[in-house]
Amino acid sequence: MFDRLEIAVLSPGPRFPAQLRFWVNGKDVVEQAVGAGGRGPLAAQALPFDLPSTLRATREPHRVQLGEPECTGGCCGFLSLVVQRTGNVVQWSDWQVPDSGARPLEFDFDASEYDAEVARAGAEYWRRLAAH
């Protein structure tokens, strides 16, 4: 059975531009690992308009930053993982968490559903940006 990923594009706030949050199986991965005040990656960096998303899954594993605590990643560390595609499976593994964070589990996603969710989140972000 595959895990289920939902990517939320949060509206810009007074201190930060639009960010992303990641729910896996209905749970906020960033909040669980870095606390309630934590932040996800900036949407513009994770979902660039004319380049592949940093979230893309390829055969070559690569590290992706998913969040940081309220005190900033430079202080306590970042939440990151390795993303890799193997056949029809996208895997999130090898988590690195901030000093006091809880290490998430390894997740396996159906590759076509994963790709569709990353594309949907990118389209949502750029559509919102164009509307303003």
Side-chain angles (χ1 to χ4, degrees), residues 6 9 38 40 43 46 49 52 60 65 69-70 84 97 118 121 126 128:
E6 296 173 67
V9 179
F49 181 72
E60 190 66 35
Q65 209 172 88
E70 187 173 19
Q84 180 177 9
V97 297
V118 171
W126 290 102
R128 279 191 199 178

Side-chain angles (χ1 to χ4, degrees), residues 37-58:
R39 291 178 298 282
L42 300 179
Q45 292 175 346
L47 303 168
F49 181 72
D50 55 352
L51 297 170
S53 169
T54 59
L55 299 168
R56 77 190 179 290
T58 64

Side-chain angles (χ1 to χ4, degrees), residues 4-13 16-44 46-47 53-55 64-71 79 81 92 95 98 107 109 114 117-118 120-122 124-125 128:
R4 186 175 187 307
L5 174 67
E6 296 173 67
I7 302 171
V9 179
L10 303 182
S11 297
F16 299 101
Q19 305 170 41
L20 301 180
R21 286 307 269 258
F22 305 90
W23 277 267
V24 177
N25 303 325
K27 296 181 181 173
D28 184 336
V29 175
V30 174
E31 184 174 310
Q32 287 189 314
V34 302
R39 291 178 298 282
L42 300 179
L47 303 168
S53 169
T54 59
L55 299 168
V64 175
Q65 209 172 88
L66 288 192
E68 62 183 312
E70 187 173 19
C71 64
L79 173 65
L81 59 87
W92 282 7
W95 290 86
F107 297 117
F109 306 103
Y114 181 91
E117 181 61 8
V118 171
R120 184 208 58 78
E124 176 186 338
Y125 171 65
R128 279 191 199 178

